Amino acid sequence: MSQAHFDYLLRLGDTSLVLAQQLGEWVGHAPALEEDLGLANIALDLLGQARLLLSYAGELEGCGRDEDALAFLRDVPQFRNLALAEQPNGDFAATIVRQFLLDAYQRELYGDLSHSKDGRLAGIAAKALKETQYHWRFSSRWLVRLGDGTEESHRRVELALAELWPYTNEMFDVDATDRAMEEAGVGPSLAAIEPRWRAAVLAILVEATLVAPKDRGKLTAGKRGLHGEALGFLLADMQFLQRAYPGAQW
Amino acid sequence: MTEARTDWPLWEVFIRSRAGLEHKHAGSLHAADATMAIEHGRDLYTRRMEGVSIWVVRSSDLVASDPGEGAALFEPARDKVYRHPTFYDIPDEVKNL
């Protein structure tokens, strides 16, 4: 087993898992019943992706850890999700901006990964790509509605964008794991994805009468296990049952 | 939430379950515009693979018959049993009839 391959799958799986958990928190709280279900649907798609990716990672590791062991029995520093995914839900605008930025990323990433030399990963990516195309449609339409909506919705979405934009640098920060996976033909070139991501995001921002914030050089490293306190609270909630009642099933 | 409900008009949703079948009324939803109505229709009414196509129409654009006129509109058909095509043998292979 290659450590890089395992870590790479965790990065993909954890980003989807953490985002799924976040969106799940909206259930019962979204601005309208219809949005409540829309967000829950996206959460379930992401959870499905996480299950496939973490199951695969567990098999590759060969230490007997399954998807549940990886999801519920790792602590904060072992999580490899992008820091953007763990940023708090905030208001509806913040949730939409976070989703929009990540959807644009996953759409490019899964598109390329569906041609990965790792056949199993390519299969997972091809399935995830279809889901992500819908997520992107959902979040980008909402971004335009909020940005080009009322004064208040514009103000809120602008604020969320300024807050979350700096976390996007991490998406394209190539490290040893990314490099090893690219060389092995497993992962795509992040340098090639970046301009496509930027073009897609900027086109929607224009439509939403928003401007991309200036880069402030902030660089998070969630994918190397460095997380903010928000992830701790999220995991406490998500992992409570398995921690309190090990092996509990329903 | 109350505000959203008064802001967003009501839409009627029609789902085609398979190619070749007609669209059937599935229910209604609230949405700000046609695009959102299609998205909500997808999210609310096709979660269990119910559909391959969605129609939405503003509820206010539907014209309905008056229940008070029910007798005049529908009762004359009651004694005209010969209009039912019940005199044909339908082969087993024919579905959805």
Side-chain angles (χ1 to χ4, degrees), chain A residues 91-167:
Chain A
D91 57 13
F92 190 69
T95 291
I96 290 297
V97 169
R98 183 186 64 201
Q99 194 62 35
F100 165 74
L101 296 170
L102 281 165
D103 287 343
Y105 181 65
Q106 287 192 325
R107 202 171 61 125
E108 299 301 336
L109 195 61
Y110 286 137
D112 282 9
L113 280 172
S114 63
H115 307 293
S116 169
K117 275 188 191 162
D118 176 343
R120 180 157 167 189
L121 180 55
I124 296 171
K127 177 183 180 288
L129 179 62
K130 285 184 209 140
E131 297 166 344
T132 308
Q133 278 162 345
Y134 184 78
H135 304 168
W136 162 254
R137 177 184 154 128
F138 177 94
S139 60
S140 59
R141 289 338 293 165
W142 260 114
L143 196 87
V144 172
R145 267 185 216 113
L146 294 173
D148 194 16
T150 65
E151 214 171 285
E152 176 67 1
S153 70
H154 182 88
R155 186 186 69 78
R156 286 187 183 224
V157 81
E158 195 172 44
L159 208 65
L161 190 65
E163 181 77 22
L164 295 171
W165 185 261
Y167 291 93

Side-chain angles (χ1 to χ4, degrees), chain B residues 6-48:
Chain B
T6 49
D7 280 348
W8 290 356
L10 196 64
W11 300 72
E12 299 301 321
V13 185
F14 300 83
I15 305 283
R16 162 179 277 170
S17 56
R18 281 197 284 128
L21 294 189
E22 76 276 35
H23 287 73
K24 278 196 178 144
H25 187 233
S28 52
L29 52 77
H30 291 91
D33 54 37
T35 315
M36 194 197 265
I38 291 281
E39 285 167 12
H40 284 168
R42 181 263 191 195
D43 282 337
L44 265 67
Y45 294 110
T46 67
R47 286 161 58 91
R48 298 174 186 87

Side-chain angles (χ1 to χ4, degrees), chain A residues 150-242:
Chain A
T150 65
E151 214 171 285
E152 176 67 1
S153 70
H154 182 88
R155 186 186 69 78
R156 286 187 183 224
V157 81
E158 195 172 44
L159 208 65
L161 190 65
E163 181 77 22
L164 295 171
W165 185 261
Y167 291 93
T168 59
N169 288 336
E170 186 187 350
M171 295 173 175
F172 309 107
D173 174 39
V174 179
D175 67 3
T177 301
D178 295 315
R179 209 168 294 122
M181 286 300 97
E182 189 187 336
E183 278 163 14
V186 173
S189 152
L190 292 177
I193 285 182
E194 182 171 10
R196 282 158 30 208
W197 175 86
R198 201 164 293 277
V201 164
L202 293 183
I204 299 293
L205 288 184
V206 168
E207 217 184 314
T209 70
L210 292 162
V211 182
K214 284 205 172 62
D215 185 29
R216 285 186 279 147
K218 179 183 176 115
L219 187 56
T220 47
K223 60 184 182 181
R224 288 191 289 282
L226 298 174
H227 299 284
E229 65 170 2
L231 187 63
F233 291 115
L234 183 142
L235 293 188
D237 208 12
M238 186 177 88
Q239 299 181 332
F240 167 77
L241 196 81
Q242 281 303 319

